[in-house]
Amino acid sequence: MRTLFRIVITTPLIAALVAACAGLGDVADFGADVATRTGTITEQQAESVRRSAQAVERSAEDITPEQEYYIGRSVGAVILDRYEPYDDQDANHYINTLGQTLALFSHRPELFGGYRFQILDSSEINAFATPSGIVFVTRGLLNLADSEDGVAAILAHEIGHVEYRHGLQAIRTSRITAALTSVAITGTQFATSEELAELTTTFEGSIDDITQTLINSGYSRGAEREADQAAIRILRRAGYDPNALIAVLEEMDRQLDPQGLDFAATHPAPSTRIRDIRSELEGYRHTARATETRQERYTAALGRL
Amino acid sequence: MRKRLVFSFGLFLVVLSVLLSSGEQRSVEVKQTPMRDRPGFLGAPVTTLSYGDRIDVLGTRQDWTQGRFTATGSEGWVHNSALTTKRIILDPGTRDVERSATDTEVALAGRGFNEEVEARYRAEQGLDFSYVDRIEEYEVPVEKLAAFIQTGELNDPDGGQ
């Protein structure tokens, strides 16, 4: 009985001790802060600490969803500077309902500002996914599909790019390091206009890196394969036919001008993608459901494109 | 035999209280997210959490974390993609800024690429953001997504949760 009593008394004490140890980092931090403020270490030493922190290379993974959101908004504004939005409320509402439904089945359903979809008024075969989750898709690309499952395949591929953060990976590492460490060394937000100007230049460079990749050079073949694999996974989980992605690519293969500046310039050949997708889908049998309802709502929303 | 039983029970109590007192926490890293009454997108919202809000972790199930929102005491489920293990500091002071330089478990809200940088970039480039603002309003309520899923005979996004 005495042993049990001893245990009951000592248990909370041990727990309190462990909890106190967990807070030691905070105490050390506070000490360092006091040391700087009281002059125990000089401003020069503090600067040296800041510089060594600056030397740590940062990568796309270190960009917070909040910063990703601001990058994405600006990439969106640049795309809308080059392409006219297709201003049809029903059509845009439909692809938002479809796209936001698909996002629930992705590995990354929650983004800082959420997924948004917008049709572009262009006959070019193209799509752009901003890092923040705004997905632009042209009339030309949507017209390659002839069913809701086909449109779902197009949108799921773009969600795949967002899920894997391919857009952010297009930013040069030196810019990410500059952006994230200048944040760290600034005591108060933009104490001087030079700091704001410097960070805006880095921001501009980052937006250029992404839009250049999205519009001109395209992602790597590996990134496109990852987005196709994500599309297959999302379509299967949602209950759409992943073979619809093959049907869209076959139509793309028929319509794409090999010399074009759209998907022809930025994506691997549709035939290559089809081959990879077929091997991915080997042995998969899809059970078709509600095709009539899906076809009706697809035609009602996108039939006029 | 009895001594061993008492010792094992004591050890269990120690482990239990350490676990309870160490209190794992998560921060919300998206603008807003609902805390739901069950681990699924179609669960009813208990409350809405905002960027930087901290929750005490009560449990996990697949991609969902069960938590208690410290500020109001509300309990419910949040999807893992809305959460981070980092502590998000909404109004960082000098000490937080210095700490963030070396501590990767700290994130500063409103720093770096933010509204101010976007405003300057917009002015310099002469870009129009009004349509981007409009696109951001295209949020489809989850009840409408649920109806779309049902009529299209799609799978339940919470299936198997």
Side-chain angles (χ1 to χ4, degrees), chain B residues 126-145:
Chain B
L127 284 168
D128 182 5
F129 276 61
S130 58
Y131 214 95
V132 173
D133 293 336
R134 208 173 128 183
I135 293 170
E136 283 192 3
E137 287 167 17
Y138 289 162
E139 187 178 4
V140 183
V142 74
E143 308 80 60
K144 290 208 170 166
L145 299 184

Side-chain angles (χ1 to χ4, degrees), chain A residues 96-147:
Chain A
N96 271 283
T97 309
L98 175 53
Q100 289 175 35
T101 296
L102 291 166
L104 299 182
F105 295 92
S106 75
H107 283 332
R108 215 181 154 205
E110 301 245 20
L111 300 173
F112 192 82
Y115 288 86
R116 300 290 185 268
F117 300 81
Q118 172 66 46
I119 303 172
L120 297 175
D121 194 4
S122 164
S123 54
E124 206 179 281
I125 294 172
N126 230 333
F128 311 102
T130 73
S132 63
I134 303 174
V135 172
F136 294 99
V137 54
T138 61
R139 278 190 304 102
L141 178 56
L142 288 174
N143 277 330
L144 296 180
D146 60 0
S147 66

Side-chain angles (χ1 to χ4, degrees), chain A residues 209-221:
Chain A
D209 287 345
I210 298 171
T211 49
Q212 178 70 20
T213 303
L214 287 180
I215 299 172
N216 304 109
S217 54
Y219 292 126
S220 68
R221 195 175 148 180

Side-chain angles (χ1 to χ4, degrees), chain A residues 173-227:
Chain A
T173 311
S174 59
R175 288 200 226 278
I176 298 175
T177 305
L180 298 183
T181 50
S182 72
V183 176
I185 59 168
T186 307
T188 52
Q189 183 70 339
F190 308 131
T192 65
S193 60
E194 285 83 44
E195 282 169 1
L196 175 59
E198 201 180 309
L199 200 54
T200 308
T201 306
T202 309
F203 185 70
E204 187 191 332
S206 306
I207 305 301
D208 285 350
D209 287 345
I210 298 171
T211 49
Q212 178 70 20
T213 303
L214 287 180
I215 299 172
N216 304 109
S217 54
Y219 292 126
S220 68
R221 195 175 148 180
E224 292 303 338
R225 197 182 298 132
E226 269 183 342

Side-chain angles (χ1 to χ4, degrees), chain A residues 1 3-4 7-8 11 14-15 18-19 26 29-30 33 36-37 50 53 58 62 64-67 69-71 73-74 76-78 80-81 85-87 92-94 96-98 100-101 104-105 107-113 116-118 134 136 148 179 183-190 193 196-197 199-200 202-204 206-208 236-240 289-290 293-294 297, chain B residues 2-3 6-7 9-11 13-15 17-18 21-22 29-34 36 41-42 51 63-64 78-79 81-82 86 92-95 97-104 107-118 120-122 124-129 131-142 144-145 147-149 151-158 161:
Chain A
M1 199 60 206
T3 322
L4 185 65
I7 288 167
V8 169
T11 300
I14 295 169
V18 171
D26 279 353
D29 259 354
F30 180 71
D33 189 37
T36 318
R37 270 188 275 161
R50 287 171 197 144
R58 307 293 173 115
D62 297 314
T64 64
E66 185 191 11
Q67 301 207 43
Y69 167 76
Y70 283 104
I71 292 169
R73 275 175 56 83
S74 290
V78 171
L80 287 169
D81 196 44
Y86 183 68
D87 212 0
N92 283 308
H93 179 71
Y94 174 73
N96 271 283
T97 309
L98 175 53
Q100 289 175 35
T101 296
L104 299 182
F105 295 92
H107 283 332
R108 215 181 154 205
E110 301 245 20
L111 300 173
F112 192 82
R116 300 290 185 268
F117 300 81
Q118 172 66 46
I134 303 174
F136 294 99
E148 181 169 299
V183 176
I185 59 168
T186 307
T188 52
Q189 183 70 339
F190 308 131
S193 60
L196 175 59
L199 200 54
T200 308
T202 309
F203 185 70
E204 187 191 332
S206 306
I207 305 301
D208 285 350
R236 284 176 65 163
R237 287 186 68 186
Y240 283 111
R289 279 177 292 180
T293 316
R294 289 185 201 169
R297 61 191 188 190
Chain B
R2 201 175 152 211
K3 261 188 179 173
V6 168
F7 178 75
F9 180 64
L11 196 70
L13 278 181
V14 170
V15 170
S17 23
V18 167
S21 63
S22 62
E29 64 170 355
V30 297
K31 241 192 246 178
Q32 282 200 321
T33 193
R36 302 184 188 281
F41 293 106
L42 308 183
Y51 187 42
D63 297 332
W64 294 81
V78 184
H79 194 271
S81 61
K86 290 183 183 184
T94 313
R95 188 180 148 229
V97 171
E98 284 171 7
R99 186 174 162 189
S100 77
T102 49
D103 186 349
T104 53
L108 309 178
R111 293 282 169 162
F113 296 162
N114 62 7
E115 219 172 339
E116 218 177 336
V117 173
E118 180 191 291
R120 189 172 170 127
Y121 173 73
R122 185 169 56 206
E124 281 177 6
Q125 304 291 315
L127 284 168
D128 182 5
F129 276 61
Y131 214 95
V132 173
D133 293 336
R134 208 173 128 183
I135 293 170
E136 283 192 3
E137 287 167 17
Y138 289 162
E139 187 178 4
V140 183
V142 74
K144 290 208 170 166
L145 299 184
F148 185 82
I149 287 168
T151 53
E153 286 185 42
L154 297 170
N155 294 332
D156 179 358
D158 305 334
Q161 296 284 350

